């Protein structure tokens, strides 16, 4: 028995809600029709695609997640063809869910996403800042359509394209004596109080940087957001080592900051776009292409502090 488009729609709606009754309400059909559609899909592929819990609704199996992704892509393309006809190549529709581990992403994501919010488009955007591991897990379990993340210790199943290489740099109060120099070394920071960005991957990265010296600065403040680190440095409480910077030298408090490249910062961190490369949805492909175009543009250079004679291109 073939799987009908109606069955696909009932199936994906039920998994999205995690509840057959709520899916039936959205679809304006009986709950039994939704339940029968799930049975039909499972029977056709001879796979268990959803686990049903009497009190907690339904949850997809791993196979169900993959099948729902494929059905969603097919249904969106079908709906787009019907709704847009000749304008298919120029408009987008549906939802786009992005997970990102990039503290300065608000500085560049809005311009990348602008085409999806232009007049006439029917796109719903869901943007979620998360830890690096959570971003990768979200892509794998279908919570995100694409991710921006640092491919350091990447899960083998994650496919990605590198956008930028961002070496470590020193962040200083403008009145700090080191701010008068054009570039610095890690040894210059060894006796300075450190305002540390306390994120798991960043902490490990900074530890590796200072291992080459045999010592590291004394940490006086640990903060888990980049802007708090910037604010503490701007207030004169210490210096910091970061990778990407906002395209502004002002903290949230309006105080100025100075960034100086590090000559011996070692391997840079990379910013990458992760997505399912095999037949991605049109909106995902457009997002990745938008990221690559931005990364190749002069605007991206404002977010990277490079040592002399180096480039941030991947």
């Amino acid at each position: 028995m073939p799987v009908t488009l109606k069955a696909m729609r009932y199936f994906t709606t039920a998994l999205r809600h995690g509840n057959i009754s709520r899916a039936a309400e959205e679809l304006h059909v009986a709950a039994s029709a939704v339940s029968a559609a799930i049975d039909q899909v499972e029977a056709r592929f001879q796979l268990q695609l959803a686990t049903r819990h009497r009190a907690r609704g339904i949850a997809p199996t791993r196979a169900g997640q993959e099948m729902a992704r494929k059905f969603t892509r097919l249904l969106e393309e079908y709906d787009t063809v019907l709704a847009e006809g000749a304008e298919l190549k120029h408009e987008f529709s549906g939802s786009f869910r992005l997970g990102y581990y990039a503290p300065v992403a608000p500085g560049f994501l809005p311009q990348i996403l602008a085409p999806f919010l232009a007049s006439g488009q029917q796109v719903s955007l869901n943007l979620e800042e998360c830890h690096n591991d959570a971003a990768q897990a979200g892509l794998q379990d279908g919570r995100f359509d694409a991710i921006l993340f640092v491919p350091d210790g990447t899960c083998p199943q994650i496919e990605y394209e590198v956008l930028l290489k961002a070496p470590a740099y020193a962040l200083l109060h403008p009145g700090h004596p080191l701010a008068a120099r054009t570039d610095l070394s890690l040894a210059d920071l060894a006796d300075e109080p450190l305002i540390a960005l306390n994120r798991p991957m960043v902490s490990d990265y900074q530890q590796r940087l200072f291992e080459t010296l045999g010592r590291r600065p004394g940490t006086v403040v640990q903060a888990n957001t980049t802007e708090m680190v910037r604010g503490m440095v701007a207030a004169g409480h210490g210096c910091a080592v970061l990778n990407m910077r906002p395209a502004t030298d002002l903290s949230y408090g309006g105080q100025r900051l100075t960034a100086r490249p590090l000559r011996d910062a070692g391997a840079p961190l990379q910013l990458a776009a992760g997505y399912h490369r095999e037949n991605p949805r049109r909106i995902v492909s457009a997002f990745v292409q938008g990221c690559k175009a931005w990364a190749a543009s002069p605007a991206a250079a404002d977010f990277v502090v490079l040592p002399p004679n180096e480039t941030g291109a991947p």
Side-chain angles (χ1 to χ4, degrees):
M1 179 183 299
V3 177
T4 64
L5 289 171
K6 180 187 292 185
M8 292 183 195
R9 197 176 302 278
Y10 288 9
F11 176 81
T12 56
T13 303
L15 292 193
R16 173 161 51 82
H17 282 287
N19 185 283
I20 289 176
S21 296
R22 286 201 293 270
E25 291 176 4
E26 178 181 320
L27 296 165
H28 303 292
V29 299
S32 58
V34 178
S35 181
I38 297 172
D39 292 339
Q40 178 190 347
V41 175
E42 289 183 325
R44 175 62 182 82
F45 295 102
Q46 297 185 347
L47 291 169
Q48 182 180 359
L49 303 177
T51 302
R52 308 186 194 199
H53 306 283
R54 183 178 298 275
R56 292 182 289 125
I58 63 171
T61 63
R62 182 170 293 275
Q65 293 170 353
E66 182 63 25
M67 198 63 66
R69 269 198 299 268
K70 294 179 182 296
F71 284 172
T72 298
R73 185 164 57 241
L74 179 61
L75 289 167
E76 286 185 351
E77 288 296 329
Y78 175 77
D79 290 341
T80 300
V81 170
L82 292 182
E84 298 176 6
E87 299 298 321
L88 178 61
K89 291 184 179 180
H90 305 292
E91 296 183 3
F92 302 95
S93 65
S95 63
F96 178 70
R97 300 158 298 173
L98 175 69
Y100 62 93
Y101 177 69
V104 300
F108 60 84
L109 266 182
Q111 68 187 77
I112 293 174
L113 296 171
F116 306 142
L117 298 174
S119 177
Q121 310 293 15
Q122 297 180 1
V123 176
S124 172
L125 297 180
N126 188 314
L127 312 177
E128 181 177 334
E129 182 174 354
C130 51
H131 292 301
N132 211 50
D133 290 345
Q136 295 180 66
L139 181 64
Q140 289 183 295
D141 66 21
R143 192 166 71 256
F144 301 132
D145 297 302
I147 59 174
L148 289 176
F149 74 119
V150 176
D152 186 27
T154 308
C155 299
Q157 300 87 349
I158 299 291
E159 299 176 302
Y160 63 89
E161 296 193 39
V162 175
L163 303 174
L164 286 180
K165 294 180 180 179
Y169 68 91
L171 187 69
L172 307 161
H173 185 281
H176 195 289
L178 293 177
R181 304 187 192 179
T182 57
D183 60 2
L184 303 171
S185 69
L186 289 170
D188 293 326
L189 304 177
D191 296 322
E192 300 294 330
L194 183 70
I195 311 297
L197 180 58
N198 188 20
R199 305 289 283 268
M201 190 201 61
V202 176
S203 299
D204 294 342
Y205 173 79
Q206 291 190 0
Q207 183 173 348
R208 293 196 300 270
L209 284 180
F210 286 102
E211 279 177 353
T212 59
L213 295 179
R215 60 193 178 116
R216 61 173 290 150
T219 300
V220 294
V221 176
Q222 291 190 348
N224 67 355
T225 67
T226 297
E227 194 49 45
M228 182 57 73
V229 170
R230 286 167 49 81
M232 296 298 288
V233 172
H237 297 307
C239 62
V241 176
L242 298 173
N243 291 82
M244 290 189 72
R245 65 172 178 181
T248 176
D249 60 359
L250 295 178
S251 70
Y252 275 1
Q255 300 159 305
R256 292 203 172 275
L257 291 153
T258 297
R260 290 291 180 262
L262 292 170
R263 296 187 298 272
D264 53 353
L269 285 184
Q270 297 177 331
L271 177 68
Y275 64 108
H276 297 286
R277 288 190 182 182
E278 184 180 350
N279 192 25
R281 293 169 52 207
R282 191 164 55 91
I283 195 170
V284 175
S285 296
F287 170 74
V288 174
Q289 290 304 314
C291 287
K292 293 166 68 174
W294 168 80
S297 73
D302 291 337
F303 293 84
V304 179
V305 180
L306 296 175
N309 304 318
E310 289 193 19
T311 175

